[in-house]
Amino acid sequence: MKELLLKLCTIPAVSGREEKLSEFILSEIKGFCDALVDRQGNIICFKKGKKRPVKRVVFDAHTDEVGIIVTSVTSDGFVKFTTVGGIETAVMLCRGVTFENGVKGVVGMKPVHLSSTEERKKYPEKDSLYIDIGAASKEEAEKLIKPGDTAVFDSEPVLMGDRLKARAIDDRAGVACLISLLKREAEYDFYVTFTVQEEIGTRGAQTAAFGLDAEVAISLEATTAADLEGVAEEKQVCRLSKGPAVSFMDKGNLYTRSLYDFALSCGEKCQPKAYIAGGNNSRAFALSKEGLSTLAVSLPCRYLHSPSCVADLTDFEAMLPLCERLLCAIAGGEVL
C-alpha cells in the first residue's frame, strides 16, 4: 500500500477538479468491483462478497484536497487567488505552486525589509498575497492563467524512516486503503464511495449517501495529530505511531457509540481521537434519508492542510486490517 499512497499524493485533485485522480482510481479498481461515476463525480462501488450482509456497510474516502483558485490577474501580471478549503496563511508564504496546465508559480508577499515593525509581528492578510508566474504584464499572464484555474503546492513525497512527508495525505490515505480493500477477497458484500468536494462542505458525500441502500457508514480520513513540542497533552488530538484514530464526536457528528467502543476493543491497533475538532463526510451519511450509523477511522497527520503533511506508515498500514475487522463484525451481525 505504501507505493500506492506515494503515487496518489502526486496527483492533483483540488475540490471540484478531481478528474485525474478519479481516472487513476478507476484504473486501479477495474475488475475488482462494480463501479459507476455519478453526476457529481463520485465513484460508487459495489464489492460482491461470499455472503450477503446482515447490515449493509459503506466505506467512504474523499478524493479532493485543499488548494488555491485564481480570482483575477493584476495589471502587472500577478495572479490573485483565494483558498479552496482551509489553509492557514503561514503555510503558503513563498511556496511553489503548479497549476492544472503545468504553469509554475510562487506565492509572493511584501518583502520583509520593506515591512513596518508592526507588519513583521504578524502574518500578512491572505488577500494581500499573490502568485508570481514570471509574467511581465496582465496580457502575458492571461495567456497562461485565467480566473477559475486551480493549483496545488509543489511537494514531492519524501520517506523519513517509517514516516512520510507529502501533500494531500488528507485524504489519499483513505483512498489508498479503500482501493486495497476492494482488491481483496471479501467475506460480505459492501459498498465503497470515493467522494468529491469534501473540503468545501461534504458536497459529494451528500449525494452519494442519498443514492445508497446502506445502513452503516465508515469514513476513512486523515486528522490532526498535534503531538508536538509545546502542545498540552489534552490538546494533542492523537499521536503518531499509536495507530488510526477513531472518533466519538467532532464538530459535525456524534458517532455511534457501539461502533466506537468496538473499534477500540476489537484487538486492532487504534487510539481515540481525544479532542472535539474538525469534521468529515460522516455527517452527510448520518443525515441521509432516515440516517446511517457512523464511525470515522482517521490517519493521524501532523501539519494537516499544508504542503508538508507528516504521517506514520505503521499507522497507515493498520487502517486496512481494522477496516476488514469492522466490515466482518458489522456485516456479520456481531456489532450493532
Side-chain angles (χ1 to χ4, degrees):
M1 286 206 306
K2 179 178 74 175
E3 295 303 320
L4 176 59
L5 177 58
L6 266 62
K7 174 63 178 177
L8 289 167
C9 288
T10 67
I11 303 172
V14 177
S15 299
R17 305 288 193 275
E18 298 95 346
E19 296 85 359
K20 287 183 180 178
L21 185 62
S22 295
E23 289 172 7
F24 178 80
I25 293 170
L26 289 168
S27 70
E28 285 288 310
I29 63 176
K30 185 177 181 180
F32 292 99
C33 63
D34 297 326
L36 61 86
V37 181
D38 68 13
R39 281 178 288 182
Q40 191 88 340
N42 303 305
I43 301 173
I44 313 294
C45 308
F46 174 74
K47 175 74 174 183
K48 184 66 178 174
K50 297 176 185 177
K51 307 172 188 175
R52 295 183 64 180
V54 176
K55 292 283 186 180
R56 297 179 298 278
V57 183
V58 55
F59 290 89
D60 174 75
H62 68 86
T63 55
D64 62 317
E65 63 183 289
V66 297
I68 61 179
I69 191 166
V70 176
T71 55
S72 64
V73 178
T74 72
S75 59
D76 293 327
F78 294 111
V79 177
K80 299 295 290 183
F81 67 94
T82 191
T83 55
V84 181
I87 307 176
E88 293 295 325
T89 302
V91 307
M92 296 191 290
L93 304 179
C94 302
R95 290 283 189 174
V97 300
T98 301
F99 288 90
E100 301 164 67
N101 60 3
V103 170
K104 297 282 188 176
V106 62
V107 178
M109 58 179 288
K110 187 177 181 180
V112 173
H113 63 277
L114 296 182
S115 301
S116 68
T117 301
E118 287 303 311
E119 287 174 327
R120 294 179 193 179
K121 292 179 181 179
K122 58 185 180 180
Y123 290 114
E125 295 295 327
K126 189 176 292 186
D127 61 9
S128 73
L129 303 179
Y130 57 86
I131 298 172
D132 186 343
I133 60 172
S137 66
K138 182 174 184 177
E139 292 72 24
E140 186 178 339
E142 287 179 334
K143 292 177 182 178
L144 302 171
I145 296 298
K146 64 182 182 300
D149 286 350
T150 60
V152 296
F153 295 103
D154 294 336
S155 180
E156 289 299 313
V158 175
L159 291 171
M160 306 184 297
D162 286 335
R163 293 182 175 174
L164 170 67
K165 186 279 294 181
R167 189 196 84 240
I169 292 177
D170 175 20
D171 184 29
R172 305 303 158 75
V175 171
C177 184
L178 292 186
I179 289 174
S180 300
L181 186 64
L182 287 169
K183 289 182 176 181
R184 293 198 171 193
E185 189 175 69
E187 193 69 22
Y188 294 93
D189 302 346
F190 66 95
Y191 297 101
V192 164
T193 54
F194 298 99
T195 46
V196 299
Q197 299 185 42
E198 188 268 354
E199 297 294 359
I200 59 170
T202 71
R203 288 169 54 88
Q206 291 178 49
T207 56
F210 189 83
L212 284 177
D213 181 27
E215 299 165 282
V216 181
I218 300 175
S219 294
L220 270 61
E221 258 288 9
T223 195
T224 298
D227 53 339
L228 304 168
E229 184 69 25
V231 179
E233 185 175 353
E234 69 273 13
K235 294 184 178 180
Q236 291 183 0
V237 187
C238 56
R239 302 176 66 87
L240 267 58
S241 306
K242 299 295 184 181
V246 291
S247 301
F248 51 85
M249 180 180 174
D250 57 33
K251 293 293 187 181
N253 196 17
L254 185 62
Y255 293 90
T256 304
R257 181 60 183 265
S258 60
L259 294 177
Y260 168 76
D261 287 343
F262 180 80
L264 289 177
S265 67
C266 71
E268 303 295 347
K269 179 183 177 183
C270 62
Q271 61 180 309
K273 179 180 174 180
Y275 194 71
I276 309 302
N280 55 57
N281 278 342
S282 65
R283 175 178 171 81
F285 285 97
L287 296 177
S288 182
K289 296 181 179 177
E290 62 266 34
L292 279 71
S293 301
T294 56
L295 180 70
V297 175
S298 302
L299 179 69
C301 185
R302 293 175 182 164
Y303 326 123
L304 204 67
H305 287 193
S306 82
S308 302
C309 306
V310 173
D312 192 297
L313 291 172
T314 64
D315 295 337
F316 169 63
E317 289 161 358
M319 292 179 77
L320 182 56
L322 178 58
C323 287
E324 289 183 310
R325 184 72 183 91
L326 287 165
L327 173 60
C328 288
I330 297 166
E334 181 181 346
V335 63
L336 282 181

